[in-house]
Amino acid sequence: MEEEKMRVGTMVAVWVYVLLATILEVVAYYVIPLSSSALHDSVISIIALSSAAAVVIFYMELKYRPRWEALFLGTTLFFVLDLLLIWTASLVH
Amino acid sequence: MSVEERLSKIEKRLTAIEKQVSARSKPHASWLKYWLFTTDHKQVGILYFVTSFYFLFIGGILAILMRTQLAFPLNNFLTGATYNQAVSMHGLIMVLWFLSPLGAAFANYFIPLQIGAKDVAFPRFNAFSYWMYAFGGLVAISGFFVPGGAAAAGWTNYAPLNSKLFLPGGGETLIGLGLLMLWGSLTMGGVNLITTILVMRAPGMTWMKVPPFTFFTLVTQLMLLWSVPSIFSGTLALVVDRALGSLFFVSAGGSSVLWDHMWWFFGHPEVYVVILPGLGAAAEIFSVFSGRPLYAKKAIFLALALGMLPFSFAIYAHHMYLTGINALQREFITTNTEINTLPSGVIVLCFAATMIGGAIKFKTPMLMALGSIATFIIGGITGVFDSSLFLDVQLRGSYQVVSHFHYIMVGTAEFALFGAIYYWLPRWTGRMYNEKVGKIHFILSFVFFNMIFLPMTFLFEMPRRIYTYLPATGWGPLNLIETIGAWGFGLAQILLLYAMIEMATFGKPSGPNPWNVSSPEWTGDAEAYVKNYPAVYATGSVALDGGVHSHAHASTPLNSSPILISAGLALFFAGLVWALPISLVGIVIAFWGVGVWFKDDLYGLFKVPEEPPGEKWPLNHMSHVRVGVWLTLAGEMILFTAIIGSYLFIRENVPIWPPPASIHNIHLATFNTLLLFSSAMTVFMALYSIRNGNRNGFVGWMIGSFALGATFLSIKMYEWWDLLNKNPSFNIASGLPGSTYYFMTGIHAAHILVGLAFMVFLITKGLKGGFTAQNHDAVEYFALYWAFVDIVWIFLFPLLYLI
């Protein structure tokens, strides 16, 4: 039943989006100078996060499946953030 | 060929397959073959049990050697180098190859019985997990026989002591390789047990009706699932440092602090992993021997799931107060550590409340459980001092800390698990122990245990990592008392051995339910348990069925691939240090095992008993395989987070980093990235085709996906080759930019390779007509995996090439 909701057109659109986002990242790399590192890194990171979200939602089909299936992803994200926060903050003085 | 001939050929093939399936399901294969190839959860549990005691013996001998050395000032019983090996291997073996696996032994045997499942979710992976554990231990121990001896950097393998610079012998590399096998084992075991508990419970076995041991094990395994990947990546980096000369832990940018993060993100939750199965068993024992239901079970479950589980990850850096980490972070962690005593307090108080007003029977299991809680309280109180940032600065690295963690990890875990042995072994063997022997065992163990570790609490001026000391320090008398205690504690375990042999061979028949318990692992009747809940554990409240265990006849087939792959990997790893021809033999054996596994799946030769529908809220819509795949991906998420986290840590720590364009061909990498992301689309199209019954479409799209994946991998290999040729100074050993680049892309490439192997399997099965619109689960799960591999590259590409 869930499968019926999925359209090939949607998947192709997501594919195109991920490809364009990748190209956009590369463009950002050349356009925004490395010296403005905060802006440079933020723009590229945001584009990458949006691509990852698109793949999770559509290709991993979380959009089409019952909400509880996101339980594994949601709980793991807590530990992902915990790890990243503690590791990267530990050197800040 | 005519239609009749083709039909006849198919019939013959089906008959041959049926014969093979039948042969593998025979319960009365030869004794040796049965134990080597078993996938039955009860037999695997027994294998864990016996093997963990083998490792206890080795770890125990090492402890006695260490304590003998420290008995007197300026003692020469061991050299400094031998002492370092003894102390390091003692810690590693006891924590990782004895205590945790003993809990896993009970979990494997009893959890399916407790929740009314026929077996664990993935029996073949269960056997694989056991053999990886056993062979991993042998690889680690083989370090004693190589030049330079075994690992000697402590149980934490602190950097840079773990580097070739300080420990050039093969032992440290072998412990790394053995640990890699163990981490694999723990992850597979965790996915298996979590899936089993989540979605294979008997009808009516709702969360609040789940027996305590099962719930404690669930939390334990979740901790492992989320913590092991961090140290898996750390150990892999360590091995690469030692074998290929990368600089993760021997440079200022990576440094010992990075290793500390990777180790303790696993190491602190591991403390709970060691004690929780024992406390789960103690919960059952308190209830049974007090004749009362467990007090405030819901509070205990909530304390575990919402307290201990997340907090164990949030406070791990209290092991790193002196490493120079951020001051605000240290204060935050101190506070959280002290808050984390609350869930422990809830559990202890609920255990006490269970006993209040009960008709307590002081049998050996009860005494052991009481001993466990007593030592837990002592260890907890000493731990409160260590959790304080200010006191920790003084006590860090002293014997006070050694005393604290032995009270928790040995006292709490070991006494509780010994109690579990006396409590549950009659269920395995049908024979009883001698109560007098059991009680003497408890008294001697408890007295000698405290004789070792109570004096140690007051040795807060003695550094913990020295192999001898001067008489003038005044530490001699307390050390002598501890050593006498250690010998006494070790010898007292002969009584445990006697009791276990008695229960296994000549003890009095125990009857089907000697404790008169209503828990389903004793009655074999999960339905009666659920129906009579909450009157459980009030002994005699449920009519027993005379020990007819519904699971006794459920049998999973024998399978040779788990032992073949594990043995092959062990030989491969050991050969890297011992002699390369051994590695070659190992590769052949491992591939043979993988071949057997794939063949079994291709022809459906490995069939497990169908699990009837049961309780699985909130995952009612999910199959157990889908749950297993998501759990595996959760572990993978942490693995790559640890790898990316290390990279960010290093980038933050290294002031100068070469601009990406000065090293990499960004256009080629971008093209390659587009190819990989396109393969996500083609995999989806393959899935879409088979969902609609289009077999040819499925095979075509899957071949296209394979081509894209293989091209991505080929271009990646070309990139490596090109970099090494054009820019020889950018290699894995040239600096952290090279180390991180090759390490991260290498691990991702390994995932692509695994994906390609799966694609070959799917294409082959697809060509044979193995998938239909109704039956194509493997394709669904592969699509999830491949999407995940793409997501990882979505992050790696900008990190390595653009930022």
Side-chain angles (χ1 to χ4, degrees), chain B residues 307-329:
Chain B
M308 267 189 189
L309 175 55
F311 269 94
S312 66
F313 288 85
I315 63 175
Y316 78 87
H318 65 212
H319 296 271
M320 298 167 61
Y321 282 149
L322 296 190
T323 58
I325 58 171
N326 177 294
L328 182 65
Q329 199 174 41

PDB file of all heavy atoms in Angstrom, chain B residues 307-329:
ATOM      1  N   GLY B 307      17.163   6.832  32.019  1.00  0.00           N
ATOM      2  CA  GLY B 307      18.242   7.340  32.866  1.00  0.00           C
ATOM      3  C   GLY B 307      19.582   6.794  32.451  1.00  0.00           C
ATOM      4  O   GLY B 307      20.367   7.452  31.780  1.00  0.00           O
ATOM      5  N   MET B 308      19.830   5.564  32.835  1.00  0.00           N
ATOM      6  CA  MET B 308      21.156   4.976  32.606  1.00  0.00           C
ATOM      7  C   MET B 308      21.566   4.969  31.142  1.00  0.00           C
ATOM      8  O   MET B 308      22.703   5.275  30.804  1.00  0.00           O
ATOM      9  CB  MET B 308      21.187   3.540  33.116  1.00  0.00           C
ATOM     10  CG  MET B 308      21.677   3.425  34.530  1.00  0.00           C
ATOM     11  SD  MET B 308      21.925   1.707  34.918  1.00  0.00           S
ATOM     12  CE  MET B 308      22.230   1.853  36.664  1.00  0.00           C
ATOM     13  N   LEU B 309      20.640   4.607  30.274  1.00  0.00           N
ATOM     14  CA  LEU B 309      20.992   4.447  28.860  1.00  0.00           C
ATOM     15  C   LEU B 309      21.517   5.746  28.246  1.00  0.00           C
ATOM     16  O   LEU B 309      22.662   5.788  27.797  1.00  0.00           O
ATOM     17  CB  LEU B 309      19.789   3.875  28.090  1.00  0.00           C
ATOM     18  CG  LEU B 309      19.897   3.746  26.585  1.00  0.00           C
ATOM     19  CD1 LEU B 309      21.115   2.948  26.167  1.00  0.00           C
ATOM     20  CD2 LEU B 309      18.648   3.086  26.000  1.00  0.00           C
ATOM     21  N   PRO B 310      20.753   6.833  28.258  1.00  0.00           N
ATOM     22  CA  PRO B 310      21.318   8.049  27.654  1.00  0.00           C
ATOM     23  C   PRO B 310      22.446   8.659  28.476  1.00  0.00           C
ATOM     24  O   PRO B 310      23.425   9.144  27.928  1.00  0.00           O
ATOM     25  CB  PRO B 310      20.114   9.003  27.581  1.00  0.00           C
ATOM     26  CG  PRO B 310      19.118   8.474  28.539  1.00  0.00           C
ATOM     27  CD  PRO B 310      19.341   7.008  28.652  1.00  0.00           C
ATOM     28  N   PHE B 311      22.332   8.598  29.818  1.00  0.00           N
ATOM     29  CA  PHE B 311      23.336   9.255  30.652  1.00  0.00           C
ATOM     30  C   PHE B 311      24.709   8.592  30.532  1.00  0.00           C
ATOM     31  O   PHE B 311      25.736   9.248  30.660  1.00  0.00           O
ATOM     32  CB  PHE B 311      22.888   9.288  32.119  1.00  0.00           C
ATOM     33  CG  PHE B 311      22.128  10.538  32.464  1.00  0.00           C
ATOM     34  CD1 PHE B 311      20.750  10.576  32.402  1.00  0.00           C
ATOM     35  CD2 PHE B 311      22.809  11.682  32.841  1.00  0.00           C
ATOM     36  CE1 PHE B 311      20.056  11.724  32.692  1.00  0.00           C
ATOM     37  CE2 PHE B 311      22.120  12.841  33.133  1.00  0.00           C
ATOM     38  CZ  PHE B 311      20.737  12.868  33.059  1.00  0.00           C
ATOM     39  N   SER B 312      24.720   7.287  30.300  1.00  0.00           N
ATOM     40  CA  SER B 312      26.019   6.607  30.221  1.00  0.00           C
ATOM     41  C   SER B 312      26.847   7.168  29.069  1.00  0.00           C
ATOM     42  O   SER B 312      28.071   7.121  29.105  1.00  0.00           O
ATOM     43  CB  SER B 312      25.824   5.098  30.067  1.00  0.00           C
ATOM     44  OG  SER B 312      25.222   4.816  28.833  1.00  0.00           O
ATOM     45  N   PHE B 313      26.171   7.716  28.055  1.00  0.00           N
ATOM     46  CA  PHE B 313      26.891   8.297  26.924  1.00  0.00           C
ATOM     47  C   PHE B 313      27.219   9.776  27.158  1.00  0.00           C
ATOM     48  O   PHE B 313      28.122  10.313  26.539  1.00  0.00           O
ATOM     49  CB  PHE B 313      26.056   8.185  25.643  1.00  0.00           C
ATOM     50  CG  PHE B 313      25.964   6.780  25.119  1.00  0.00           C
ATOM     51  CD1 PHE B 313      25.004   5.900  25.587  1.00  0.00           C
ATOM     52  CD2 PHE B 313      26.856   6.326  24.157  1.00  0.00           C
ATOM     53  CE1 PHE B 313      24.919   4.603  25.116  1.00  0.00           C
ATOM     54  CE2 PHE B 313      26.782   5.035  23.676  1.00  0.00           C
ATOM     55  CZ  PHE B 313      25.814   4.166  24.155  1.00  0.00           C
ATOM     56  N   ALA B 314      26.421  10.404  28.025  1.00  0.00           N
ATOM     57  CA  ALA B 314      26.599  11.842  28.222  1.00  0.00           C
ATOM     58  C   ALA B 314      27.690  12.146  29.247  1.00  0.00           C
ATOM     59  O   ALA B 314      28.131  13.285  29.357  1.00  0.00           O
ATOM     60  CB  ALA B 314      25.280  12.465  28.659  1.00  0.00           C
ATOM     61  N   ILE B 315      28.121  11.120  29.988  1.00  0.00           N
ATOM     62  CA  ILE B 315      29.047  11.400  31.100  1.00  0.00           C
ATOM     63  C   ILE B 315      30.399  10.722  30.913  1.00  0.00           C
ATOM     64  O   ILE B 315      31.245  10.795  31.784  1.00  0.00           O
ATOM     65  CB  ILE B 315      28.432  10.938  32.435  1.00  0.00           C
ATOM     66  CG1 ILE B 315      28.213   9.420  32.435  1.00  0.00           C
ATOM     67  CG2 ILE B 315      27.150  11.667  32.720  1.00  0.00           C
ATOM     68  CD1 ILE B 315      27.724   8.877  33.757  1.00  0.00           C
ATOM     69  N   TYR B 316      30.575  10.062  29.755  1.00  0.00           N
ATOM     70  CA  TYR B 316      31.776   9.233  29.623  1.00  0.00           C
ATOM     71  C   TYR B 316      33.071  10.022  29.788  1.00  0.00           C
ATOM     72  O   TYR B 316      34.101   9.482  30.212  1.00  0.00           O
ATOM     73  CB  TYR B 316      31.774   8.511  28.267  1.00  0.00           C
ATOM     74  CG  TYR B 316      32.175   9.394  27.105  1.00  0.00           C
ATOM     75  CD1 TYR B 316      33.511   9.554  26.761  1.00  0.00           C
ATOM     76  CD2 TYR B 316      31.233  10.083  26.368  1.00  0.00           C
ATOM     77  CE1 TYR B 316      33.887  10.380  25.714  1.00  0.00           C
ATOM     78  CE2 TYR B 316      31.591  10.913  25.330  1.00  0.00           C
ATOM     79  CZ  TYR B 316      32.925  11.052  25.007  1.00  0.00           C
ATOM     80  OH  TYR B 316      33.302  11.872  23.983  1.00  0.00           O
ATOM     81  N   ALA B 317      33.009  11.341  29.471  1.00  0.00           N
ATOM     82  CA  ALA B 317      34.251  12.124  29.503  1.00  0.00           C
ATOM     83  C   ALA B 317      34.719  12.411  30.924  1.00  0.00           C
ATOM     84  O   ALA B 317      35.736  13.070  31.110  1.00  0.00           O
ATOM     85  CB  ALA B 317      34.086  13.406  28.707  1.00  0.00           C
ATOM     86  N   HIS B 318      33.995  11.884  31.949  1.00  0.00           N
ATOM     87  CA  HIS B 318      34.551  12.046  33.305  1.00  0.00           C
ATOM     88  C   HIS B 318      35.807  11.187  33.476  1.00  0.00           C
ATOM     89  O   HIS B 318      36.512  11.310  34.474  1.00  0.00           O
ATOM     90  CB  HIS B 318      33.504  11.770  34.401  1.00  0.00           C
ATOM     91  CG  HIS B 318      32.981  10.368  34.481  1.00  0.00           C
ATOM     92  ND1 HIS B 318      31.699  10.079  34.880  1.00  0.00           N
ATOM     93  CD2 HIS B 318      33.551   9.180  34.236  1.00  0.00           C
ATOM     94  CE1 HIS B 318      31.514   8.774  34.876  1.00  0.00           C
ATOM     95  NE2 HIS B 318      32.622   8.208  34.493  1.00  0.00           N
ATOM     96  N   HIS B 319      36.073  10.331  32.501  1.00  0.00           N
ATOM     97  CA  HIS B 319      37.345   9.593  32.502  1.00  0.00           C
ATOM     98  C   HIS B 319      38.474  10.450  31.933  1.00  0.00           C
ATOM     99  O   HIS B 319      39.604   9.996  31.862  1.00  0.00           O
ATOM    100  CB  HIS B 319      37.224   8.318  31.660  1.00  0.00           C
ATOM    101  CG  HIS B 319      36.233   7.338  32.214  1.00  0.00           C
ATOM    102  ND1 HIS B 319      36.572   6.375  33.135  1.00  0.00           N
ATOM    103  CD2 HIS B 319      34.910   7.175  31.974  1.00  0.00           C
ATOM    104  CE1 HIS B 319      35.506   5.660  33.442  1.00  0.00           C
ATOM    105  NE2 HIS B 319      34.480   6.120  32.751  1.00  0.00           N
ATOM    106  N   MET B 320      38.112  11.669  31.499  1.00  0.00           N
ATOM    107  CA  MET B 320      39.094  12.491  30.779  1.00  0.00           C
ATOM    108  C   MET B 320      39.297  13.855  31.429  1.00  0.00           C
ATOM    109  O   MET B 320      39.721  14.797  30.768  1.00  0.00           O
ATOM    110  CB  MET B 320      38.618  12.683  29.324  1.00  0.00           C
ATOM    111  CG  MET B 320      38.499  11.387  28.559  1.00  0.00           C
ATOM    112  SD  MET B 320      37.586  11.586  27.006  1.00  0.00           S
ATOM    113  CE  MET B 320      38.600  12.766  26.145  1.00  0.00           C
ATOM    114  N   TYR B 321      38.995  13.948  32.716  1.00  0.00           N
ATOM    115  CA  TYR B 321      39.106  15.249  33.380  1.00  0.00           C
ATOM    116  C   TYR B 321      40.508  15.851  33.248  1.00  0.00           C
ATOM    117  O   TYR B 321      40.662  17.059  33.152  1.00  0.00           O
ATOM    118  CB  TYR B 321      38.795  15.097  34.870  1.00  0.00           C
ATOM    119  CG  TYR B 321      37.326  14.996  35.205  1.00  0.00           C
ATOM    120  CD1 TYR B 321      36.901  14.260  36.304  1.00  0.00           C
ATOM    121  CD2 TYR B 321      36.354  15.647  34.454  1.00  0.00           C
ATOM    122  CE1 TYR B 321      35.569  14.156  36.647  1.00  0.00           C
ATOM    123  CE2 TYR B 321      35.013  15.551  34.780  1.00  0.00           C
ATOM    124  CZ  TYR B 321      34.628  14.809  35.878  1.00  0.00           C
ATOM    125  OH  TYR B 321      33.299  14.716  36.216  1.00  0.00           O
ATOM    126  N   LEU B 322      41.522  14.993  33.283  1.00  0.00           N
ATOM    127  CA  LEU B 322      42.892  15.513  33.310  1.00  0.00           C
ATOM    128  C   LEU B 322      43.535  15.614  31.927  1.00  0.00           C
ATOM    129  O   LEU B 322      44.733  15.773  31.810  1.00  0.00           O
ATOM    130  CB  LEU B 322      43.765  14.630  34.208  1.00  0.00           C
ATOM    131  CG  LEU B 322      43.390  14.595  35.686  1.00  0.00           C
ATOM    132  CD1 LEU B 322      44.462  13.895  36.502  1.00  0.00           C
ATOM    133  CD2 LEU B 322      43.199  15.993  36.231  1.00  0.00           C
ATOM    134  N   THR B 323      42.735  15.469  30.888  1.00  0.00           N
ATOM    135  CA  THR B 323      43.332  15.499  29.549  1.00  0.00           C
ATOM    136  C   THR B 323      43.337  16.898  28.953  1.00  0.00           C
ATOM    137  O   THR B 323      43.745  17.078  27.807  1.00  0.00           O
ATOM    138  CB  THR B 323      42.558  14.571  28.583  1.00  0.00           C
ATOM    139  OG1 THR B 323      41.197  15.003  28.567  1.00  0.00           O
ATOM    140  CG2 THR B 323      42.655  13.129  29.001  1.00  0.00           C
ATOM    141  N   GLY B 324      42.837  17.863  29.698  1.00  0.00           N
ATOM    142  CA  GLY B 324      42.839  19.238  29.190  1.00  0.00           C
ATOM    143  C   GLY B 324      41.598  19.579  28.395  1.00  0.00           C
ATOM    144  O   GLY B 324      41.615  20.526  27.603  1.00  0.00           O
ATOM    145  N   ILE B 325      40.524  18.841  28.613  1.00  0.00           N
ATOM    146  CA  ILE B 325      39.299  19.168  27.866  1.00  0.00           C
ATOM    147  C   ILE B 325      38.662  20.428  28.448  1.00  0.00           C
ATOM    148  O   ILE B 325      38.956  20.830  29.576  1.00  0.00           O
ATOM    149  CB  ILE B 325      38.285  17.999  27.857  1.00  0.00           C
ATOM    150  CG1 ILE B 325      37.907  17.595  29.282  1.00  0.00           C
ATOM    151  CG2 ILE B 325      38.829  16.827  27.069  1.00  0.00           C
ATOM    152  CD1 ILE B 325      36.761  16.606  29.340  1.00  0.00           C
ATOM    153  N   ASN B 326      37.766  20.980  27.673  1.00  0.00           N
ATOM    154  CA  ASN B 326      37.077  22.230  27.983  1.00  0.00           C
ATOM    155  C   ASN B 326      36.552  22.272  29.431  1.00  0.00           C
ATOM    156  O   ASN B 326      35.943  21.317  29.902  1.00  0.00           O
ATOM    157  CB  ASN B 326      35.920  22.325  26.979  1.00  0.00           C
ATOM    158  CG  ASN B 326      35.051  23.504  27.190  1.00  0.00           C
ATOM    159  OD1 ASN B 326      34.376  23.607  28.194  1.00  0.00           O
ATOM    160  ND2 ASN B 326      35.060  24.399  26.223  1.00  0.00           N
ATOM    161  N   ALA B 327      36.798  23.391  30.120  1.00  0.00           N
ATOM    162  CA  ALA B 327      36.454  23.499  31.542  1.00  0.00           C
ATOM    163  C   ALA B 327      34.942  23.424  31.773  1.00  0.00           C
ATOM    164  O   ALA B 327      34.470  22.738  32.686  1.00  0.00           O
ATOM    165  CB  ALA B 327      37.004  24.800  32.100  1.00  0.00           C
ATOM    166  N   LEU B 328      34.175  24.107  30.925  1.00  0.00           N
ATOM    167  CA  LEU B 328      32.720  24.101  31.084  1.00  0.00           C
ATOM    168  C   LEU B 328      32.183  22.686  30.876  1.00  0.00           C
ATOM    169  O   LEU B 328      31.288  22.214  31.585  1.00  0.00           O
ATOM    170  CB  LEU B 328      32.091  25.060  30.062  1.00  0.00           C
ATOM    171  CG  LEU B 328      30.573  25.205  30.140  1.00  0.00           C
ATOM    172  CD1 LEU B 328      30.173  25.854  31.472  1.00  0.00           C
ATOM    173  CD2 LEU B 328      30.053  26.039  28.979  1.00  0.00           C
ATOM    174  N   GLN B 329      32.796  22.000  29.911  1.00  0.00           N
ATOM    175  CA  GLN B 329      32.388  20.622  29.633  1.00  0.00           C
ATOM    176  C   GLN B 329      32.635  19.727  30.865  1.00  0.00           C
ATOM    177  O   GLN B 329      31.821  18.879  31.204  1.00  0.00           O
ATOM    178  CB  GLN B 329      33.192  20.100  28.448  1.00  0.00           C
ATOM    179  CG  GLN B 329      32.570  18.900  27.775  1.00  0.00           C
ATOM    180  CD  GLN B 329      33.338  18.532  26.513  1.00  0.00           C
ATOM    181  OE1 GLN B 329      34.553  18.553  26.464  1.00  0.00           O
ATOM    182  NE2 GLN B 329      32.605  18.173  25.482  1.00  0.00           N
TER     183      GLN B 329
END
